[in-house]
Amino acid sequence: MKSAKNGEYTEEMRYIAKKEGVDIEKLRRAVAKGHVVILRNTKHNVEPVGVGSGLRVKVNANIGTSMDIVNVEAEVRKAKIAKKYGADTIMDLSTGGNLPEIRHRIMKEVPMVIGTVPIYEAAWQMLERKKAIVEMSEDDMFNAVESHLRDGVDFLTIHVGVTREAVEKMKKHPRVVGTVSRGGTFHAAWILHNDKENPFYENYDYLLELLAEYDATISLGDGLRPGGLPDATDFLQIHELYTIGRLVKRAREKGVQAMVEGPGHIPIDQIEANVKMAKIATDNAPFYVLGPLVTDIASGYDHITAAIGGAIAAKAGADFLCYVTPAEHLALPNEEEVKLGVIATRIAAHAVNLTRFEDEYKWDYEMSKARASLRWDEQLNLSIDKENAIKIRKERYPHSPQVCTMCGEFCAIKILRDYLNEGKE
Amino acid sequence: MKSAKNGEYTEEMRYIAKKEGVDIEKLRRAVAKGHVVILRNTKHNVEPVGVGSGLRVKVNANIGTSMDIVNVEAEVRKAKIAKKYGADTIMDLSTGGNLPEIRHRIMKEVPMVIGTVPIYEAAWQMLERKKAIVEMSEDDMFNAVESHLRDGVDFLTIHVGVTREAVEKMKKHPRVVGTVSRGGTFHAAWILHNDKENPFYENYDYLLELLAEYDATISLGDGLRPGGLPDATDFLQIHELYTIGRLVKRAREKGVQAMVEGPGHIPIDQIEANVKMAKIATDNAPFYVLGPLVTDIASGYDHITAAIGGAIAAKAGADFLCYVTPAEHLALPNEEEVKLGVIATRIAAHAVNLTRFEDEYKWDYEMSKARASLRWDEQLNLSIDKENAIKIRKERYPHSPQVCTMCGEFCAIKILRDYLNEGKE
């Protein structure tokens, strides 16, 4: 960001301008203003990912162990699956097993931009030391951040906006679901227990210095995001958003790249307003949404609920979609659910990207042409999940290889093509 | 519709006003103006379904055999699955086997509002008689309509808008994909072959008289709907839409209920315009969309693509969503795919309905409350697919029954609840 402010083109900017087919000077200006962030820690040897206005909407996949299910091999496989099906980044949200070892393993095996929530590691260390999470010291918190930065983590979710003032307001403004952000909840409980300000807020300048050293991006976590439709767009959420807006400004002043996390659970008729409000409150910081889910009743199908919300959010200006898997609200996702989550969210992102980028639209155009000419192999090859498309067609193979088993000889394309050809002779 | 125009409340209106919790006088006026249609053939003993402004967005599931796959038992099971997972109506689109027998069987076994496309049966009969589809007579077409009406079919898709003029325009305005509506293609080929006007257009008044006799609804098929994003919102589509608008007017004048079918494949940034245009062109006729799909590249996942488009269309004013299954563009759907299609489309419809109807929102509210208090049995019971939610949780059951295997003891809700309770003591 400092180079961008100085008018310089960095290697990362060149890479992204080329990859996305955008003008490098426009990109530099966007980075300088903080409207675009480039995710890559200087210590991490991966291809950078750009997030923000004028670039493609990106997809993140969360992976990681839980206290109940610790299987590092499975998490590595999940990261590989996420990459294979087109996630742009992953977040390692592990909370069980040896956290640093798991992170090192995933980063070694799957070279892609990675994000983490360092406070989970600080909390995990307390449990390892048989202590309560709220007994964590300020140093414990900062040490976690520093160790993630040293490891080369590209973007760090930190809940700086969960301030003492916000916690006071939580008491006065009750919610139906309450707080559902794990990191946000740790901070809220810590503030209540210790009767002190959030150390990341209190020492925000120091935090920014650490981040600047590695050119890492701070992802300002929305600790007070709604956990259900009844709490959507409430005072607590918006109060925190405006706090985050001020934090974005301070980060930019220090040359630190900042993006902003958003909800969560939003009724379909409030999504656009949420995105616009976030863009205003944060002066167009890259906006990273989780879902959002447009209904609470679809446990087992929240990848679909999130694809609906994500597509609408992206269309309204959200820059980065965090996937949701079918296991959300029920369990830690397995490998198949990670795949379904990535594909659903990618459909949402692509649906918007194709309206903005010629080459994204070309994919759909080629598919349309393959369908029109009944070139089945090409249709299957162009499908977002080729193996699955081939499997479905093979399972129910038609008598005539030109058509499919839905319409058979009633195939509209075939009839009219045959007919018009006949007419011409 | 005639009763509504005369200011009378029919049994159907009373039933729907009560079921949807809407004012009966408002409903009567909407029916009189044609802004709402009540789907039920006077010969069909089922609960009627209302479609249109002011009512809940409804979901239709297509079932039916194909020439390649004829398994009547499976189709009956698909109809039952569609009903179980909340489809409001089904359409029997069978094209293989003995069509009338299949229809009778499905209608007998699964009492719910049903729609059909009678031209399929006329085409099938030609093939049975070893003749070309285009050799069909006008009587063949009308006989199919009459037999469906006598059988009690509640709504009939008829492609009256595929006129000679439209076919002429097809020649001058080439498309990438062409025509993908089966019924539309039959008519286009018939017009070209016979060098005559579409009989349903030519004898539209007679068609309306038949429909009026059974109080059946005509669903004006969009024979020229786009078959891929490159053809979306093109001249052919819009030209047909305005023809359909005139046909709606004529139907209303004869006291026949009419709804209008819409695309298909629409880029995400054109959906709202498409819905608004359809409402204008048809003077607010109930608008019934297929999907729409927001990308062409997701074969195998088109239930998700359609859920995104359907939710956006419904929010913009579409009244009736036809589901799309994961098998779309690949094969005839199996039972599991019918289930996935219904659930995805229902999520889309519910996401919009909950913003308009208190009792729909209440479902989400109850789920939020159950989540906040960690009442797992209630959460699972409230899920759109209870068995599936129970299965996922059971497979990965947490050590502590209060939480789930994603967050475990890091459960935000549990921590803050425990903490705040602790604080209170």
Side-chain angles (χ1 to χ4, degrees), chain A residues 11-315:
Chain A
E11 183 201 326
E12 286 86 354
M13 287 180 220
R14 288 185 205 282
Y15 174 85
I16 287 166
K18 192 174 169 199
K19 191 173 177 192
E20 303 231 2
V22 296
D23 179 68
I24 190 158
E25 177 56 20
K26 261 196 189 162
L27 178 65
R28 186 198 62 77
R29 282 170 195 263
V31 173
K33 285 191 278 188
H35 298 179
V36 162
V37 292
I38 294 180
L39 305 176
R40 176 159 82 176
N41 183 310
T42 49
K43 292 251 178 181
H44 197 195
N45 185 23
V46 285
E47 293 174 357
V49 172
V51 174
S53 333
L55 302 181
R56 281 161 184 72
V57 175
K58 304 299 187 304
V59 170
N60 174 71
N62 291 338
I63 58 159
T65 59
S66 71
M67 293 175 90
D68 278 304
I69 303 176
V70 181
N71 180 342
V72 186
E73 300 311 316
E75 297 310 322
V76 169
R77 285 196 300 271
K78 286 181 198 172
K80 287 181 177 168
I81 288 167
K83 190 171 188 183
K84 175 176 176 187
Y85 290 99
D88 298 285
T89 65
I90 51 170
M91 286 190 81
D92 171 22
L93 303 186
S94 291
T95 55
N98 186 305
L99 265 49
E101 276 180 30
I102 295 167
R103 182 170 61 255
H104 298 154
R105 182 74 201 287
I106 292 169
M107 289 177 74
K108 196 182 147 204
E109 299 251 2
V110 191
M112 65 192 292
V113 162
I114 189 168
T116 58
V117 188
I119 195 77
Y120 292 177
E121 188 161 316
W124 165 78
Q125 277 171 340
M126 297 310 290
L127 299 178
E128 289 283 298
R129 288 188 249 153
K130 310 276 177 223
K131 285 175 140 182
I133 292 173
V134 288
E135 292 176 64
M136 178 187 299
S137 71
E138 304 194 359
D139 278 350
D140 293 331
M141 295 186 194
F142 277 94
N143 287 341
V145 169
E146 277 202 78
S147 79
H148 284 231
L149 286 169
R150 270 196 310 269
D151 285 350
V153 170
D154 307 287
F155 64 100
L156 290 78
T157 294
I158 305 181
H159 301 84
V160 191
V162 182
T163 60
R164 208 162 173 175
E165 188 192 355
V167 173
E168 281 309 308
K169 299 220 179 293
M170 279 168 65
K171 292 183 191 163
K172 286 182 207 149
H173 300 273
R175 281 179 155 180
V176 173
V177 184
T179 316
V180 293
S181 151
R182 288 179 291 189
T185 304
F186 293 157
H187 283 293
W190 191 93
I191 290 166
L192 285 167
H193 179 85
N194 298 283
D195 196 17
K196 278 189 181 169
E197 183 53 281
N198 179 341
F200 289 128
Y201 185 75
E202 189 97 326
N203 307 292
Y204 187 54
D205 285 334
Y206 176 61
L207 177 65
L208 293 173
E209 280 167 32
L210 292 177
L211 290 155
E213 210 176 311
Y214 298 86
D215 200 11
T217 296
I218 185 167
S219 188
L220 287 155
D222 52 337
L224 300 182
R225 66 170 177 266
L229 298 188
D231 297 333
T233 329
D234 74 349
F235 175 70
L236 295 177
Q237 179 197 323
I238 303 306
H239 181 269
E240 184 189 31
L241 174 64
Y242 278 79
T243 303
I244 287 174
R246 288 188 291 273
L247 295 168
V248 166
K249 190 160 181 275
R250 286 175 60 190
R252 288 174 180 173
E253 284 163 4
K254 293 260 180 191
V256 172
Q257 303 192 101
M259 64 181 175
V260 172
E261 297 185 9
H265 296 248
I266 319 181
I268 197 166
D269 58 345
Q270 296 178 18
I271 295 175
E272 197 179 338
N274 264 270
V275 176
K276 304 265 183 224
M277 208 184 318
K279 286 284 180 180
I280 296 165
T282 67
D283 182 21
N284 294 301
F287 192 44
Y288 176 27
V289 292
L290 175 58
L293 306 179
V294 291
T295 171
D296 295 330
I297 54 87
S299 308
Y301 299 89
D302 275 335
H303 59 313
I304 297 175
T305 318
I308 295 172
I312 297 172
K315 182 170 170 281

Side-chain angles (χ1 to χ4, degrees), chain A residues 65-69 95 120 123-124 127 133-134 170 176-177 179-182 185-186 188-189 192-194 227-230 265 267-269 272 294-305 307-308 311-312 315 326-334 337 339-340 343-344 347-348 350-352 354-355 361 363-365 367-369 371-372 376 379-380 382-385 388-389 392-393 395-400 403-413 415-416 419-420, chain B residues 65-69 95 120 123-124 127 133-134 170 176-177 179-182 185-186 188-189 192-194 227-230 265 267-269 272 294-305 307-308 311-312 315 326-334 337 339-340 343-344 347-348 350-352 354-355 361 363-365 367-369 371-372 376 379-380 382-385 388-389 392-393 395-400 403-413 415-416 419-420:
Chain A
T65 59
S66 71
M67 293 175 90
D68 278 304
I69 303 176
T95 55
Y120 292 177
W124 165 78
L127 299 178
I133 292 173
V134 288
M170 279 168 65
V176 173
V177 184
T179 316
V180 293
S181 151
R182 288 179 291 189
T185 304
F186 293 157
L192 285 167
H193 179 85
N194 298 283
L229 298 188
H265 296 248
I268 197 166
D269 58 345
E272 197 179 338
V294 291
T295 171
D296 295 330
I297 54 87
S299 308
Y301 299 89
D302 275 335
H303 59 313
I304 297 175
T305 318
I308 295 172
I312 297 172
K315 182 170 170 281
E328 187 76 18
H329 297 115
L330 294 170
L332 194 75
N334 61 28
E337 290 158 346
K339 174 184 156 179
L340 292 172
I343 289 175
I347 289 172
H350 176 70
V352 173
L354 75 88
T355 67
Y361 171 72
W363 186 4
D364 294 75
Y365 186 80
M367 177 66 98
S368 284
K369 282 207 301 183
R371 284 188 182 150
W376 279 94
Q379 285 182 51
L380 299 171
L382 285 166
S383 297
I384 194 167
D385 179 4
N388 183 51
I392 293 176
R393 180 157 161 92
E395 245 173 43
R396 280 157 271 170
Y397 200 75
H399 291 119
S400 157
V403 300
C404 81
T405 53
M406 183 180 261
C407 303
E409 289 301 312
F410 275 29
C411 176
I413 288 171
I415 289 173
L416 212 61
Y419 199 77
L420 290 175
Chain B
T65 59
S66 70
M67 292 174 90
D68 279 304
I69 303 175
T95 54
Y120 292 176
W124 165 79
L127 299 179
I133 292 173
V134 289
M170 278 168 67
V176 173
V177 184
T179 317
V180 294
S181 152
R182 288 179 290 191
T185 303
F186 294 157
L192 284 168
H193 179 86
N194 296 284
L229 299 188
H265 296 249
I268 197 166
D269 57 346
E272 197 179 338
V294 291
T295 171
D296 295 329
I297 54 86
S299 308
Y301 299 89
D302 275 336
H303 60 312
I304 296 176
T305 317
I308 294 172
I312 296 172
K315 182 170 170 280
E328 186 77 17
H329 298 114
L330 294 170
L332 194 75
N334 62 27
E337 289 158 347
K339 174 183 156 180
L340 292 174
I343 288 175
I347 289 173
H350 175 70
V352 172
L354 75 86
T355 66
Y361 172 72
W363 186 3
D364 295 75
Y365 186 81
M367 178 65 97
S368 284
K369 282 208 300 184
R371 285 187 181 151
W376 279 94
Q379 287 181 50
L380 299 171
L382 285 166
S383 297
I384 194 167
D385 179 3
N388 182 52
I392 294 175
R393 181 160 160 90
E395 248 172 41
R396 282 157 271 171
Y397 200 76
H399 292 119
S400 157
V403 298
C404 83
T405 53
M406 182 180 263
C407 303
E409 290 301 312
F410 275 29
C411 175
I413 289 171
I415 290 173
L416 212 64
Y419 199 76
L420 290 174

Side-chain angles (χ1 to χ4, degrees), chain A residues 373-390:
Chain A
S373 51
L374 299 168
R375 294 195 305 273
W376 279 94
D377 286 348
E378 203 178 325
Q379 285 182 51
L380 299 171
N381 266 324
L382 285 166
S383 297
I384 194 167
D385 179 4
K386 195 161 61 170
E387 291 95 337
N388 183 51
I390 291 170

